[in-house]
Amino acid sequence: MDAQHEVEQVAGRARVAARALALATRARKDAALHAMAEQLLEREAEVLAANTEDVARAEAAATDPGIVDRLRLTGERLAGIAQGLREVAGLADPVGEVVRGSTLANGLELRQVRVPFGVVGMIYEARPNVTADAAGICLKSGNAALLRGSSSARSSNAAIVEVLREAIASTGLPADAVQLVPGETHDSVKALMRARGHVDVLIPRGGAGLIRSVVEESTVPVIETGVGNCHVYVDRAADLGKALAVVLNAKTHRTSVCNAAESLLVHAEVAEQFVPRVVAALQEAGVLVHGDATFAAHDGVVPATEEDHATEYLALEISAAVVPDLDAALEHVRRYSSGHSDAILTEDQGAARRFVAEVDSAAVLVNASTRFTDGGEFGFGAEIGISTQKLHARGPMGLPEMTSTKYVVIGDGHTR
Amino acid sequence: MDAQHEVEQVAGRARVAARALALATRARKDAALHAMAEQLLEREAEVLAANTEDVARAEAAATDPGIVDRLRLTGERLAGIAQGLREVAGLADPVGEVVRGSTLANGLELRQVRVPFGVVGMIYEARPNVTADAAGICLKSGNAALLRGSSSARSSNAAIVEVLREAIASTGLPADAVQLVPGETHDSVKALMRARGHVDVLIPRGGAGLIRSVVEESTVPVIETGVGNCHVYVDRAADLGKALAVVLNAKTHRTSVCNAAESLLVHAEVAEQFVPRVVAALQEAGVLVHGDATFAAHDGVVPATEEDHATEYLALEISAAVVPDLDAALEHVRRYSSGHSDAILTEDQGAARRFVAEVDSAAVLVNASTRFTDGGEFGFGAEIGISTQKLHARGPMGLPEMTSTKYVVIGDGHTR
């Protein structure tokens, strides 16, 4: 059986499950989520044993220790995953929400109502926790999940999905609400990207290469997530104390995430005061600064290349430049930003207003760290990813972003 | 210069114009829309002369008279186009609308605000009125428009766009807010579909073939519009008088549009009463019925094939079948509907509720003609098309659907 046929068969089962999920009450979906959490904890030994296989395989292949760590599950991490599922159960059900409604002049009653997408495909890398997180968010939003994790996590993903499916079935909802996409090779990823009509939406989560290939090859509609070349611009009217704290936080609080800062811009009027302080603080925190001439005058700062300004380091590195004015800062951001999160530090209302209006990114922050662009921080409770595209959803995607809408029109024999 | 390079150059100018449009006040945009309307009327002779060239070329090529009619402009039609632009000026500005907002526990102020997409590409067929309509809707929603009409309307489109650009420039907004995509061949369409990063959204409007090819080939995000295999289901609990009126209206009010009915389903319990009446009425209106055995027992009804049930006739033809119950009706709709608009006729609240919940279409109507699925009828005032996809927008797309959003986060030195 070829990969395309195989994926379409799995998607067909997902479609049947999706019909039941779309009609399931919140109470029923929440019961399934709690069962999923319980079963994961009860069958911890089984899941961890499967994970040990993945970790052993990765270590034998001399995989980077950072990646092995992301792959590894522990009792504590599993408890965190279960807790995440319970939290999703606690969130409002997006399905059925009336987005807008009115009675038209002719008496027709019009409502726009949230409905599930149907079948959601996820293509993601290493972390096995995404398997359970995505399954939970899809189920709560009434969508059937087709999960294609990385082959390095295959044993963990298989064990987790088996547990989740049995938990879901035990509450009367269809087990096929959550399925792994079969196949280890790239063929199955390709087949998923070509399953237009069978899969309603595809969400890639992972590195820039993965996301680019899905966006370019998929005929299934894609929601692009997560590449973040985020900027912090320190304006001439910045409170330099706040600025220093925000730059450090945005760069060093957690380096491997898409909302970490990768580029620092400083207004020329405050450069003399601020550059030495920020370089010293960054270096003390272990950050390698790739700077322009002003920055590179400091010991340990290496000259920034054109490429540095465009780089998402995801590491203790940052590019840095002095700009003559706000216009130049806006121009720099326009040129290099990936449109994820960009921040200005300023006490000047006019500068803040211009930055907010002119920076075309999913999140624009004033006097706040880029690290705040996050579904949890925004109060969404759960997040399937951070969209960096403009269609459908932009920024952190919570449960409402995992739905479509439908118009319901009620008449009494109305004709035109 | 190859087509890709050419399109990217045009798109680059559109990007610069889009920046100005994104910051333009409503007053300024409305002034441009009024100028566009005025100039079209003032330069009527010029536009009609250009249109005459297109019509002559089409007639010389023995084009179908229906298509020639759609291509033809008259003083009256031009007045209608100008009036449409004025009506768009009267609509609320979607840009800047706060979609949601809150103050987070840590004091951060969070707002989700509507912003333009940026550069919108339109690929459309014959009708030159779409050129002005699309330009007006894009401008009001703050987007620069890249228009690729059909080559059969090239003189009309060129004349209209020239008038619109001069009108826009006369009010101080950039002329490049509206541009024609250069090139007559399919290469320029292809280049537009590959201009990812240069064009933010692509909206195809036209026949099923055009839309399918754009959806499959484009790497630019696409909003799919308009194929409608719309169903009317007459339930056993239908008021048959209302049902007859709605079936006739949905099928015959205007046949060439995507919200016209193409399939009729009748519950077996009312078939004996209803089928003869509806066949007679449809035939009297000139409709050819492709029916199942029950329908085909009537003179003039031809037997329906599997393909008939899947066909969007866009003509005075309809497929028709008797179904044993509501479940069978739902199954039929699930199988053949294109997910545009499907209607149930029933006085039974339970049947209506099930139909609304289980039919997965952009619009689901109860006791109302499918013809109501329309931006104008829904009160949106202007419509760029009817989306039949689930991502971003579903159903009639008005001005808000022509925008994305951005999160604005205001703090006072906040760090995590």
Side-chain angles (χ1 to χ4, degrees), chain A residues 88-377:
Chain A
V88 172
L91 296 173
D93 189 343
V95 176
E97 187 198 338
V98 178
V99 177
R100 56 179 163 183
S102 60
T103 301
L104 304 180
N106 58 9
L108 276 179
E109 293 165 43
L110 178 69
R111 272 176 296 149
Q112 186 183 19
V113 182
R114 283 201 189 283
V115 295
F117 285 128
V119 178
V120 173
M122 291 274 306
I123 301 177
Y124 54 99
E125 289 174 342
R127 297 172 187 258
N129 60 310
V130 174
T131 305
D133 291 354
I137 289 176
C138 284
L139 188 131
K140 179 78 183 220
S141 53
N143 295 296
L146 284 186
L147 305 173
R148 177 55 163 84
S150 71
S151 57
S152 64
R154 61 175 177 262
S155 304
S156 315
N157 289 341
I160 291 170
V161 166
E162 199 195 312
V163 170
L164 298 182
R165 286 171 56 89
E166 287 178 20
I168 292 167
S170 76
T171 66
L173 284 176
D176 286 337
V178 179
Q179 293 179 87
L180 280 184
V181 174
E184 297 290 318
T185 67
H186 189 67
D187 283 359
S188 64
V189 174
K190 242 183 165 142
L192 195 57
M193 296 192 292
R194 295 275 145 188
R196 190 175 176 92
H198 302 277
V199 177
D200 294 298
V201 185
L202 211 50
I203 305 175
R205 267 183 70 170
L210 168 73
I211 290 164
R212 195 177 327 110
S213 91
V214 173
V215 157
E216 280 176 11
E217 291 177 42
S218 182
T219 57
V220 174
V222 172
I223 300 178
E224 198 179 340
T225 64
V227 175
N229 182 14
C230 303
H231 293 70
V232 178
Y233 164 59
V234 179
D235 187 47
R236 70 170 167 189
D239 174 318
L240 297 182
K242 292 179 196 167
L244 192 68
V246 166
V247 170
L248 276 175
N249 183 263
K251 179 66 258 181
T252 67
H253 181 255
R254 202 165 152 205
T255 54
S256 64
V257 289
C258 57
N259 60 14
E262 307 290 5
S263 292
L264 167 65
L265 300 172
V266 177
H267 192 289
E269 280 184 30
V270 294
E272 204 177 323
Q273 259 188 286
F274 189 67
V275 170
R277 282 174 70 185
V278 76
V279 166
L282 284 167
Q283 290 181 336
E284 199 182 338
V287 177
L288 174 63
V289 180
H290 302 257
D292 67 356
T294 308
F295 277 90
H298 293 265
D299 275 354
V301 172
V302 300
T305 62
E306 167 84 15
E307 209 195 315
D308 281 313
H309 293 303
T311 297
E312 185 188 21
Y313 295 108
L314 298 174
L316 286 171
E317 295 182 59
I318 195 165
S319 68
V322 172
V323 289
D325 52 26
L326 175 58
D327 284 298
L330 289 168
E331 185 51 43
H332 185 106
V333 170
R334 201 171 286 147
R335 184 149 173 203
Y336 296 107
S337 171
S338 62
H340 188 298
S341 298
D342 297 293
I344 183 174
L345 273 297
T346 191
E347 303 298 315
D348 173 353
Q349 177 65 11
R353 193 172 141 95
R354 272 199 68 195
F355 193 86
V356 163
E358 297 189 31
V359 170
D360 186 21
S361 296
V364 185
L365 305 103
V366 178
N367 296 330
S369 170
T370 54
R371 289 280 293 123
F372 283 109
T373 305
D374 174 271
E377 292 296 321

Side-chain angles (χ1 to χ4, degrees), chain A residues 196 224 242 249 412 416, chain B residues 196 224 249 412 416:
Chain A
R196 190 175 176 92
E224 198 179 340
K242 292 179 196 167
N249 183 263
D412 188 30
R416 276 180 78 176
Chain B
R196 190 176 176 89
E224 198 179 341
N249 182 264
D412 187 32
R416 276 180 76 179

Side-chain angles (χ1 to χ4, degrees), chain B residues 151-166:
Chain B
S151 56
S152 64
R154 61 174 175 263
S155 304
S156 316
N157 288 341
I160 291 170
V161 166
E162 199 194 312
V163 171
L164 298 182
R165 286 171 56 89
E166 287 179 20

Side-chain angles (χ1 to χ4, degrees), chain A residues 117 196 215 224 242 249 356 359 362 364 366-367 371 390 392 394 405-407 409 411-413 416, chain B residues 117 196 215 224 242 249 356 359 362 364 366-367 371 390 392 394 401 405-407 409 411-413 416:
Chain A
F117 285 128
R196 190 175 176 92
V215 157
E224 198 179 340
K242 292 179 196 167
N249 183 263
V356 163
V359 170
V364 185
V366 178
N367 296 330
R371 289 280 293 123
K390 292 182 185 172
H392 185 72
R394 199 177 189 204
T405 60
K406 146 201 292 191
Y407 283 101
V409 186
D412 188 30
R416 276 180 78 176
Chain B
F117 285 129
R196 190 176 176 89
V215 156
E224 198 179 341
K242 291 179 198 168
N249 182 264
V356 164
V359 170
V364 186
V366 179
N367 296 331
R371 289 280 292 122
K390 294 182 182 172
H392 186 73
R394 199 178 189 203
E401 283 74 23
T405 61
K406 145 201 291 191
Y407 283 102
V409 185
D412 187 32
R416 276 180 76 179

Side-chain angles (χ1 to χ4, degrees), chain B residues 56-323:
Chain B
R57 208 181 317 108
E59 285 175 336
T63 306
D64 177 273
I67 293 176
V68 174
D69 181 60
R70 290 167 63 179
L71 186 56
R72 185 174 283 119
L73 288 177
T74 61
E76 198 185 338
R77 285 184 180 180
L78 211 55
I81 292 172
Q83 183 53 27
L85 289 167
R86 289 201 190 97
E87 282 167 13
V88 171
L91 297 173
D93 189 343
V95 176
E97 187 198 339
V98 178
V99 177
R100 57 179 163 183
S102 60
T103 300
L104 305 180
N106 57 10
L108 276 180
E109 293 164 44
L110 179 69
R111 273 176 296 149
Q112 185 183 18
V113 181
R114 283 201 190 283
V115 296
F117 285 129
V119 178
V120 173
M122 291 274 306
I123 301 177
Y124 54 99
E125 289 173 342
R127 298 173 186 259
N129 61 310
V130 174
T131 304
D133 291 354
I137 290 176
C138 284
L139 188 132
K140 180 76 182 222
S141 52
N143 295 296
L146 284 186
L147 305 174
R148 177 52 165 85
S150 72
S151 56
S152 64
R154 61 174 175 263
S155 304
S156 316
N157 288 341
I160 291 170
V161 166
E162 199 194 312
V163 171
L164 298 182
R165 286 171 56 89
E166 287 179 20
I168 292 167
S170 76
T171 66
L173 285 175
D176 286 337
V178 179
Q179 292 180 87
L180 280 184
V181 175
E184 296 290 318
T185 67
H186 188 68
D187 283 359
S188 66
V189 175
K190 244 186 164 139
L192 196 57
M193 296 193 292
R194 295 275 146 190
R196 190 176 176 89
H198 303 276
V199 178
D200 294 298
V201 184
L202 211 51
I203 304 176
R205 266 182 72 171
L210 168 73
I211 291 165
R212 196 178 325 110
S213 92
V214 173
V215 156
E216 279 176 12
E217 290 177 41
S218 181
T219 56
V220 174
V222 172
I223 300 178
E224 198 179 341
T225 62
V227 175
N229 182 13
C230 303
H231 292 71
V232 178
Y233 164 59
V234 179
D235 188 46
R236 68 169 168 189
D239 174 318
L240 297 183
K242 291 179 198 168
L244 192 67
V246 166
V247 170
L248 276 176
N249 182 264
K251 178 66 258 180
T252 67
H253 182 256
R254 200 164 154 206
T255 54
S256 65
V257 289
C258 57
N259 60 14
E262 307 290 4
S263 293
L264 167 64
L265 299 173
V266 177
H267 192 290
E269 281 183 30
V270 293
E272 204 177 323
Q273 260 189 285
F274 189 66
V275 170
R277 284 174 68 185
V278 76
V279 165
L282 284 167
Q283 289 180 337
E284 200 182 338
V287 178
L288 174 63
V289 180
H290 301 257
D292 67 356
T294 307
F295 277 90
H298 294 265
D299 275 354
V301 173
V302 300
T305 61
E306 166 84 14
E307 209 194 317
D308 281 312
H309 294 303
T311 297
E312 184 188 20
Y313 294 109
L314 298 175
L316 285 171
E317 295 183 59
I318 195 166
S319 68
V322 172
V323 289

